[in-house]
Every structure is written in C-alpha cells, then in structure tokens.
Amino acid sequence: MIINEEQFKKSILDGGLVSRSDFEEAVKKAEANKQKLSDVLLSEGKISETDLKRMEAFVLGIPFIDLSNQKIDFSTLSLIPEPVARNYNIVAYKKSEKGLEVAMLDADDLPVIDFIKKRSGLKILPRLTDTSSIKSVLVQYRQSLTAEFRDIIQKEAISLGASKEEGEKPDEKSESELKEIAEDLPVVKIVDSLIFHAILQNASDIHIEPGERELTVRYRIDGILHDAMTLEKGAGLGITARIKVLSNLKLDEKRLPQDGRFKIEQNGEKISFRVSTLPIYFGEKTVIRILKENTHGFSLETLGFHGEGLERIHNSLKQKTGMILATGPTGSGKTTTLYTMLDILNRPEVNISTVEDPIEYQMPRVNQTQVKPEIGLSFANGLRSLLRQDPDIVMVGEIRDGETAGLAVNASLTGHLVLSTIHTNSASGAIPRLIDMGVEPFLIVATVKTITSQRLVRRLTPHKERYFLSSAEIKNLAKIVDMDRVLNFLQEEKIIGTNDTWDKIPFYKAAPSAEFEDGYKDRIGIHEVLAVTQTIRGMILKGSSQDEIEKQAKSEGMMTMIEDGVFQAVLGITSLEEVFRVVSE
C-alpha cells in the first residue's frame, strides 16, 4: 500500500490543510533533500500528525481510526506482542469474522503485517492511526498485565492461605516441609508473577513486608516506593521459602538475616537478583534488588555530567596513576558512573581488574572478581591478590574499611589508576571519611585526583508543564541556592543569553498523564565534581574542615549538587520540586 505522491499532493491542496505558499516551499525542500513531502510538512509544523494521517488514509482508501479513549480486550491486544507493538507502532484492536483490524502509523510496513498474519492465522485489515492513539493503547498492555497478575496472585494467595492447616505455626515447619511448600505450584506462580511484574514496571527493588494481618508487596520505581499489592498473611511463608530456594539460602533459618542472589534470562536479557532477608516483629521481611546485567551504552553525558565537571573527569581519566572516587548514598548510581568510566578506559592495551560486591554489569575484557566474605574473599583480600596480576587500572566496588582504603591508596601510589566508591553525602566529605578510616592526609594528597558526588532525580516526561518563577519564588530560592552562580553557569554553557534574568527563564513541572501517573519517567544524575588542586592539597595537609574545602572548590569553579539540580531544572530535564526532594542541605 504505497501512497501515490501526486494524488497525496492534490488532496493536501484540495483539503485546504496547508496554504499554497507553504505547500510549494515544502515541495521544493522535499525534492532538494530527497525527503517525503509528508515528513517535511510534519517537521515544520505546517500540518498536524492527525490531519496528515487522515489524509494518507483517504488517499490509500483505508479507514483512519482514533483509539485514544478506546478500551481494548486483552485477548485481542495480546495477539501482537508488546515489543512488536512498541517497536513497529502497530496494535490489534478488533477481531471479527472478517479478520483482525490493526491500527498502524505506516501502512507500507508489509513485513510486520505478514508476521502478524502468520502469528495470528487471521486476515489482517490495516487501518491508519496517529502517535497519541498508539501510545494510549501501549499503556493498556501494562494495565492489562497488571490486572492479570494481580488476579493470579490474589487467587493463588487465597488458595495457599486456605490450604494452610489451622492452628499450625509457621515457625514449626521443618526444612523439608518448607522446601515442599516452596515447590508448590501456587507459590511458584506467585513469585514468578511478582518478579515478572516488577521487571515490566522497570522496578529496582521488590519489598515483601509481613504485617499483623496481611503481606504487603511494594516496588521501588524511579527511586520511589509504590504499593504493588496486598496478599493474605498466610502466603508469606511460601513466598519467602520460594525466594530462599532460588537464592540458595537456609530455609529453616528465621532468626538471623541472610543474603543471597540468583539470575534469570528473560527475552534474551540477563537479570540478576540480590536477595536480603531480615527478621522483623511479624515475620521475615524480604527485599529483592533487580540488576539488569547487560545494561550498557551509557556515556558520561547521558548520565548527566556536563561543562567543567565533565572536563575534570575526562582529564582525570587520562592519568596513569591516582584515585578517582565516586560518592553518594546507596542507590545513587555511583557504580553505574564507575562502569561508564571503565568503558571509556577499556582499551586493548590496558589490563583492567575489579573487585566487586556484586558484579552488577558484566564487561568484556575486564577481569571482574566477586567478593565472597563467607570464604574469606573480602574487598581487601581480593584487592591484595589482583595487584599481583599486574593490572593497569583497578576498580574497587566500595571502600568500606581502613584496610581496603590503605590498599587502594598504596595501589595508586605504585603505578595504578584506582576507581572506587565511598559512602559520603558530598564530594568534600570523602576527605574526612578517608582520614577517619586511618588514611594519612599526605597519602590522600598524593593519590586522590578527582571526587564526584551524585544523586538521582526523576526525569520529566515530554508532557511537562512550562512556567515562570514569581519574584517572591526567586527570592525564596535565593535563600537556598546561589542564583547568581547558577545564572553564570547557564550563560557559560550557552543555555541562556547573556542578558537573560531569572524572571525570563522558564522552569517545568510534572504533568501527570494516563501513561505516567506522576509525570516522571526514568532518572538522571545531578553531580558535583571536585578536582583536588594544589590549593586544596594544602588545605588537606593543614587539616581544614569539609566546609572550608567545599568553599575553596566552589571558588575554583565547582558546581554543587543543588546548583546542578537547578541547572537541570532550567534545561527541563527535571523539576525544582524533584531536586529539593532529593537534595536537602
């Protein structure tokens, strides 16, 4: 079904959708750039996508369909798998004796029509639609699957609760009985559904929390915990037992915390799970951390680094020796930042070795060692051993104690570039933390080159709402952030004009939609990058406080995390509300 270009041009003009002058200009541009006329008209905003698709449908002699507010039966919707629907912008919406009606953006896509015909065994009746229709239907995949999983889980949890013998205490179960429960079909279905549902929603953690009368399941999505479902209290024993079996933990140990891990492969993607159990008043709380192993393709820019901070990191990565530290709380993306740096450094002529707990992403040509404290393979022992293997670059997953800190410092003194993470709230806070661990100030001065600190903020969706700050809001914001400094950074990076003032600079706020309930999707980092300069080295040797070091770093051009947050808010990547939720100073 190829559109007759001449007939299409005539229909556009006859329909009065575009003025003759705009039409002629678009025709010239399309011919000069060898583009489709429809693409030129759309990209220049001369015609709306809906009008364009209606016109294409008219020329092709097929119906145009608007699915924006239509609820589609899941049995029909699932005739086209979600990945195919998402990648090829095609959805099934109506099944009848005549065949399967599918709505699509491109009626020329014959291979995908052929694929759906073979898969469904039905005659395919193509219809044209627009992007907003496709998006609204794609949301229904998630909603339908959510409802389906909720039904499975509730039904199985009730049957599990009913089958539990009255008066029997969970603590009285032996290991063999617990293993039997863990392999029971309803329990396997529940755990599989919980995990699949979490992956579908792009959750980073699953929290399974027993209460007095019920079991609550929560998912952490983009850093925020959301209630996923509430189950019968009786389901908790079997679910915990099943997770323990998967992660090779002791089934009958309920008094002590345990840690384990397991892996699955789904749709060609390897996913690792870190499991932690903890005894609480009403039973055992289980938390599963979800880590997608083959996540890759990050760059420092896509992580949120920019300007002077980005330059400082690139300069430090050119060094042959020294230490680069990434700081921040748990779950702030420190490890992803280190992996991205390793990816930049990963060249055939260098030997890179790591000691990690856990190995979150597998990297080609990088020798990665998993810490196993239970058999004596700690960060310190692992680092001590790998230094005998002549690495050029060493990555230590985390500096947790004085022994690891001392070894990392010595490694950087003896001709290695060392990358690691450390738990502090700011870049300048890493220096007193290292001193507290027993590292001498003169060794810090000799080794540490760059310290980054970061938090993750949620990204606004494209449907965000634009607004300007009032004079009162600017005044209040100036009490928390040095607005003149941020304005200067924005001007230096040419984000705004040299004469722009805060009352003329737009900000953005979340606009909830059917697809994204809170108006956010995914996360990006806000950072501060401290370069250990000659002046700061002198301050460390002199014993200056963390605040004094930060003040000096700011005078040398360091953008603080909160300033970077406001910077990203001006770019429309996140909102001021989100920045202040994440960074509290």
Side-chain angles (χ1 to χ4, degrees), residues 444-459:
I444 295 172
V445 165
T447 56
V448 180
K449 306 289 185 195
T450 308
I451 307 167
T452 72
S453 185
Q454 65 187 76
R455 300 287 187 283
L456 293 176
V457 291
R458 290 179 296 165
R459 281 177 177 271

Side-chain angles (χ1 to χ4, degrees), residues 169-184:
K169 291 181 183 175
D171 292 344
E172 292 171 0
K173 298 276 188 192
S174 67
E175 187 173 4
S176 58
E177 285 174 313
L178 286 165
K179 194 164 187 181
E180 204 175 306
I181 291 170
E183 287 164 2
D184 197 19

Side-chain angles (χ1 to χ4, degrees), residues 2 15 56 108 145 171 194 201 232 279 314 359-360 422 441-442 501 513 520 541 553 563 580:
I2 296 168
E56 285 182 3
D108 293 348
L145 282 167
D171 292 344
L194 282 175
Q201 294 202 47
E232 296 286 315
H314 279 303
I359 295 170
E360 292 192 17
I422 190 166
F442 71 88
T501 52
S513 63
Y520 295 97
L541 290 171
E563 288 168 350
F580 293 123

Side-chain angles (χ1 to χ4, degrees), residues 338-349:
L338 286 193
Y339 275 114
T340 306
M341 291 180 190
L342 282 185
D343 199 35
I344 294 166
L345 294 165
N346 194 1
R347 299 184 308 276
E349 63 268 24

Side-chain angles (χ1 to χ4, degrees), residues 322-327 334-335 338-339 342 352-359 366-369 371 378-387 391 393-401 403-412 416-423 437:
M323 282 179 78
I324 301 169
L325 296 174
T327 76
K334 301 185 297 294
T335 309
L338 286 193
Y339 275 114
L342 282 185
I352 302 176
S353 295
T354 75
V355 191
E356 304 171 60
D357 184 24
I359 295 170
V366 175
N367 311 293
Q368 295 171 274
T369 302
V371 166
S378 63
F379 273 116
N381 289 341
L383 179 54
R384 197 179 277 114
S385 299
L386 75 82
L387 286 173
I393 297 160
V394 175
M395 196 260 266
V396 184
E398 186 186 335
I399 294 176
R400 292 180 181 171
D401 52 51
E403 190 181 5
T404 311
L407 285 164
V409 164
N410 283 326
S412 63
H416 305 90
L417 181 63
V418 179
L419 284 70
S420 190
T421 72
I422 190 166
H423 280 278
M437 284 181 181

Side-chain angles (χ1 to χ4, degrees), residues 148-160:
E148 186 190 30
F149 283 134
R150 203 178 293 269
D151 289 347
I152 290 171
I153 289 167
Q154 291 289 6
K155 190 167 71 184
E156 300 295 357
I158 290 164
S159 69
L160 195 66

Side-chain angles (χ1 to χ4, degrees), residues 122-224:
L122 298 166
K123 184 183 177 184
I124 304 302
L125 307 169
R127 310 286 185 248
L128 274 187
T129 190
D130 55 15
T131 305
S132 62
S133 283
I134 294 284
K135 280 184 177 175
S136 70
V137 177
L138 289 174
V139 173
Q140 291 184 40
Y141 274 98
R142 182 178 291 182
Q143 291 169 344
S144 302
L145 282 167
T146 300
E148 186 190 30
F149 283 134
R150 203 178 293 269
D151 289 347
I152 290 171
I153 289 167
Q154 291 289 6
K155 190 167 71 184
E156 300 295 357
I158 290 164
S159 69
L160 195 66
S163 65
K164 190 173 171 283
E165 291 178 37
E166 281 190 38
E168 186 179 31
K169 291 181 183 175
D171 292 344
E172 292 171 0
K173 298 276 188 192
S174 67
E175 187 173 4
S176 58
E177 285 174 313
L178 286 165
K179 194 164 187 181
E180 204 175 306
I181 291 170
E183 287 164 2
D184 197 19
L185 192 60
V187 176
V188 173
K189 269 189 181 177
I190 288 175
V191 174
D192 287 353
S193 297
L194 282 175
I195 289 169
F196 187 75
H197 189 181
I199 294 166
L200 186 79
Q201 294 202 47
N202 208 22
S204 59
D205 304 88
I206 306 170
H207 290 242
I208 301 161
E209 302 164 342
E212 189 175 2
R213 294 187 179 84
E214 58 195 18
L215 187 77
T216 305
V217 179
R218 299 196 286 170
Y219 293 148
R220 190 180 292 282
I221 302 165
D222 292 338
I224 307 283

